[in-house]
Amino acid sequence: MAIDRIEDQVRAALSAAEDAEASPQERAEMLMEIAIGLQQRPKSPDALTAAVDLYDKALSICPAGEDLLRARIVARRGTALQAVPEEGTASLEQARKAFDQAIPVLAELGRPEEIAEAEMNLGVVIQNLAGAGRARITDAIAAYQRALRTFERRRFPTEFAILQNNLATAFLSIPMTDERAKMREALAVQAFEEGLKVVNLIDHPTEYAMLQNNLGNALQYASSSHAVENNLRALDAYDEALKVRSRADMPGEYANTIANKANCLWNLPDDPANPEHGNRANLLQARACYAEAREIFVAQGELQKARIVAEACEQVERELLAAPAANGGGITAVARTM
């Protein structure tokens, strides 16, 4: 039924595009608006593919000389392409070309917010391409920093927070193989904390939870001599994220966060002041979190994540069996981020 609705919307859009009483500019704008509507909370990949087709149709009828309208359509087309699920990077490569084409025109003729939005989306595309070895992560960082010139904290708190999150994850995605690795980790933590200064639990719950979860990950895996202190801060961050990410309302995000929390508990002594007493209580909590996360991941068809947490749960179980009742035994850190 969802596919039928998409087809009906596309037919209606194409019919509007043939309206002789509307100017070519008006028809192109109508197609763009309908395509944007298809992109919003798409029920299936078909909605995104249909949106791309409508953007292509809009570009085909956009009059010569309407450079700003064309750039807006191209940029929107890029946002649809970047959201298309696929194996490989073909759609991401097309999205990058779209933003590279649109941004100079938007910079000349568009509003600052349009330019910043395109730069932010370009950064996301490049970051995803960098993960596949098809781009440089430093180019994504540069795009985010350009977007921050407009999306500053006071007027655009949500966009500012998202950009800080994206910057932080970009810093952390750079291999930690040189002398600047610790500096990048510190910059990532700082970026998450900057984002949290402008969002709160009540007004921006989704962004707040995202930043808290990712801050917890950054703290947990930082190469620091203050591992216990960082892990305690990470636990606080995960608990803040879980104020939003409930199993009932956001099961996938909830499972990600409790799995991250389990990783942290696994490597934290029960009594930080007396680490020699072990961490049996924390291991028991970690096991329960892993088991619940696995149950949710299986139910949602996230089988790879389910396998990861199941393996971690088995390792925790072995350590519990080997450890005396008052001692958690030796703990081996396993870095898993979700």
Side-chain angles (χ1 to χ4, degrees), residues 208 212 234-244 257 261:
Y208 180 83
Q212 290 285 10
L235 281 182
D236 288 341
Y238 294 136
D239 286 340
E240 286 298 310
L242 290 170
K243 291 178 180 177
V244 177
T257 299
K261 183 177 178 178

Side-chain angles (χ1 to χ4, degrees), residues 89-127:
T89 60
S91 293
L92 287 173
E93 301 276 7
Q94 291 183 58
R96 181 174 187 176
K97 289 178 182 177
F99 292 124
D100 285 340
Q101 178 184 344
I103 286 172
V105 181
L106 293 174
E108 181 182 356
L109 304 173
R111 301 188 306 273
E113 297 85 354
E114 291 179 297
I115 307 162
E117 182 183 0
E119 291 281 15
M120 181 164 65
N121 286 317
L122 174 62
V124 172
V125 168
I126 294 174
Q127 187 166 351

Side-chain angles (χ1 to χ4, degrees), residues 6 38-39 42 44-53 55 79-81 83-85:
I6 293 168
L38 283 172
Q39 278 184 254
S44 73
D46 294 312
L48 296 169
T49 302
V52 173
D53 291 341
Y55 288 128
T79 63
L81 286 164
V84 171

Side-chain angles (χ1 to χ4, degrees), residues 57 65 114 216 243 253 295 299:
K57 179 65 175 177
E114 291 179 297
K243 291 178 180 177
E253 292 84 352
E295 179 184 322

Side-chain angles (χ1 to χ4, degrees), residues 211-234:
L211 284 163
Q212 290 285 10
N213 178 77
N214 293 343
L215 172 61
N217 290 343
L219 288 166
Q220 181 180 174
Y221 301 118
S223 52
S224 167
S225 58
H226 306 288
V228 171
E229 178 184 335
N230 282 349
N231 278 345
L232 290 171
R233 290 176 62 198

Side-chain angles (χ1 to χ4, degrees), residues 51-73:
V52 173
D53 291 341
L54 291 180
Y55 288 128
D56 287 338
K57 179 65 175 177
L59 289 170
S60 73
I61 64 175
C62 184
E66 290 292 336
D67 293 342
L68 179 56
L69 175 58
R70 179 172 292 275
R72 286 171 173 164
I73 297 170

